[in-house]
Structures are given as C-alpha cells and as structure tokens.
Amino acid sequence: MISIPQKKALKSNNLDSDKVVEINNLDFFYGSGNMKKQTLFEINLILKKGEVVMMKGPSGSGKTTLLTLIGALRRANNGSLKVFDQELVNGNNNLLIQTRRNIGYIFQGHNLLNSLTARKNVQMSMELHPEYSSQEAKKISEQMLIAVGLGDRMDYYPHNLSGGEKQRVAIARALVSRPKMVLADEPTAALDSKSGRDIVEIMQRLAKEQGCTILIVTHDDRILDVAERIIELEDGRLVINN
C-alpha cells in the first residue's frame, strides 16, 4: 500500500478532542422578511475524528445545505455549529476561509479544470498551503495520483479520462493536502456500480491512512455498508442518527 507523505506542521487548530464537528440546535433560513424560509430544523450531530459517515434522504431534504454549512461554504445563522472547535455560527469571513483550508471537497461533477492535466488539477489544491515548495507540491501530487491508481494518467487532460478516473483525480485533489475532514456530495451518482464502489473504497482507505473524517451525501444504497454510521434527513430534520 502506498504511503501518503505527512503534512507539515501547521498552526494548532485546538483539536484536542475527538469531536471534529459538533452541532447543537442548528436552524437555517434562506431569504428574509416575507421571503424567509426555514430549511433545517434543530439539527444535533457530532462527527468524530477518523469516522466515515453517510448522509441520505429524499431530494430537497436539506442534505447539501447541511454539507455546505459544515464545510464553511455558507454561513450558519442560528444555533451552534463548531468545526475544529471553532464556532462558525455568525463567524467572520476569515474564520470561514481558515476552516475551509482544512477540508477537502468532492462533488458529483468533479469540477476539474479542463485546461489542466490530472497532476496540475491536484497540485492546484496545494496552492493554499505555502509551506510547500512547488517541487514538493508536484512530488506529493504525483504520489497521490499513484495512490488512487492513476500513475499512468498524470499528464492526461480531463477530456481523456473516464468518469471514474475523473472522480479519482477529484479524490486526489481533495486529499492531497491532508485535510482534517472530507465532504463528498453524491460522489458516485454518475458512475456505474463497480466504479462507484472503487471510489468510496479509495476514499475510505486514504482517509483512514490520514486519520480524517469523511461525510458523504448519497442516494446510492450500494455503498452504505462502507459507513460506520448512517444519518438521514427528512424535511430538514435529522430523523436517524445511529
């Protein structure tokens, strides 16, 4: 098994506990005034270091909204949402930016830049971490692509890659800077059964090697057995937390 290089020491994030995410009575509203609409209701959830959690539920139930709040891509506005021991509710832009630097994101559409090779797509993620030189960033990006089985595709552009290969590049990009948490939104939706299974198993293996938490939003029942816990949202409420 290929070992991924250790991340250089950064400033402490006060992660003394096993709680990577701690949510208490979180509500979320879109809009204001007469257009105000509540989409999340009294969410209570803890995500611990190193665990794999899957979140399922009907379309429109609030899964992606909750994922983006946890990922500091959207500002929470009521209740408590602590990520890496930092309160994000009403947090300022600098806090949200610093939080995002410790999170890897994987989306259904993979969001690769078509003008860049697989390696450069992965290496781009390391530009947020100036502690690495360009040569170090290149070497680590290549090692990560080898780890996801794309050692012979480093110089390929996205249009020359299959759907499964593109998602492998997206996984490599999300994990290359050794984030403390990975958030994935329907990462297998556009893939066949085998490719989808391969994708989540790669995520699980690499994240375990790195000791980070994984939260996957999915409708794909074929991959649920990979999870240590399954949570479910329905009409904006957490109805299963086992």
Side-chain angles (χ1 to χ4, degrees), residues 65-80:
T65 298
L66 181 56
L67 196 78
T68 57
L69 290 172
I70 293 172
L73 297 172
R74 176 181 283 134
R75 185 177 282 105
N77 47 30
N78 194 42
S80 176

Side-chain angles (χ1 to χ4, degrees), residues 102-167:
N102 287 296
I103 298 174
Y105 303 92
I106 303 170
F107 302 101
Q108 178 180 340
H110 50 71
N111 296 340
L112 302 181
L113 293 179
N114 291 325
S115 60
L116 299 181
T117 63
R119 178 182 61 78
K120 290 184 178 178
N121 264 286
V122 174
Q123 189 172 336
M124 181 181 65
S125 178
M126 301 191 72
E127 292 177 0
L128 294 173
H129 301 276
E131 66 273 14
Y132 294 105
S133 69
S134 59
Q135 281 302 110
E136 287 176 315
K138 178 181 178 182
K139 179 179 179 181
I140 294 170
S141 297
E142 290 174 348
Q143 290 174 321
M144 181 58 76
L145 283 167
I146 291 171
V148 299
L150 293 178
D152 60 344
R153 297 288 193 271
M154 292 183 190
D155 295 323
Y156 282 47
Y157 289 88
H159 66 269
N160 294 129
L161 299 173
S162 69
E165 288 171 339
K166 290 175 184 177
Q167 278 296 56

Side-chain angles (χ1 to χ4, degrees), residues 5 11 24 32 40 43 55-56 73 78 80 95 99 107 116 122 127 135 147 150 162 184 196 213 216:
K11 292 181 180 179
N24 289 290
S32 59
L40 293 177
I43 302 297
M55 178 162 55
K56 57 182 298 189
L73 297 172
N78 194 42
S80 176
L95 174 60
T99 301
F107 302 101
L116 299 181
V122 174
E127 292 177 0
Q135 281 302 110
L150 293 178
S162 69
T213 301
I216 302 174

Side-chain angles (χ1 to χ4, degrees), residues 197-213:
R197 185 79 187 183
D198 289 346
I199 289 301
V200 294
E201 288 181 351
I202 290 170
M203 289 173 58
Q204 180 190 42
R205 174 174 63 82
L206 294 181
K208 286 298 183 184
E209 287 179 8
Q210 297 185 11
C212 75
T213 301

Side-chain angles (χ1 to χ4, degrees), residues 16-115:
D16 295 329
S17 74
D18 285 335
K19 296 179 182 178
V20 175
V21 175
E22 185 174 8
I23 303 174
N24 289 290
N25 298 319
L26 181 70
D27 299 322
F28 184 75
F29 303 84
Y30 282 110
S32 59
N34 292 334
M35 300 299 292
K36 191 174 183 179
K37 180 181 179 181
Q38 187 169 358
T39 57
L40 293 177
F41 301 82
E42 299 180 350
I43 302 297
N44 292 280
L45 177 66
I46 289 174
L47 301 179
K48 295 182 178 181
K49 181 178 179 180
E51 69 173 343
V52 179
V53 178
M54 300 225 182
M55 178 162 55
K56 57 182 298 189
S59 297
S61 59
K63 301 185 303 298
T64 296
T65 298
L66 181 56
L67 196 78
T68 57
L69 290 172
I70 293 172
L73 297 172
R74 176 181 283 134
R75 185 177 282 105
N77 47 30
N78 194 42
S80 176
L81 169 58
K82 291 183 179 180
V83 179
F84 312 136
D85 284 341
Q86 299 294 316
E87 179 60 70
L88 298 190
V89 171
N90 298 318
N92 60 38
N93 285 335
N94 184 60
L95 174 60
L96 298 183
I97 290 169
Q98 292 301 317
T99 301
R100 290 196 291 267
R101 288 181 175 176
N102 287 296
I103 298 174
Y105 303 92
I106 303 170
F107 302 101
Q108 178 180 340
H110 50 71
N111 296 340
L112 302 181
L113 293 179
N114 291 325
S115 60

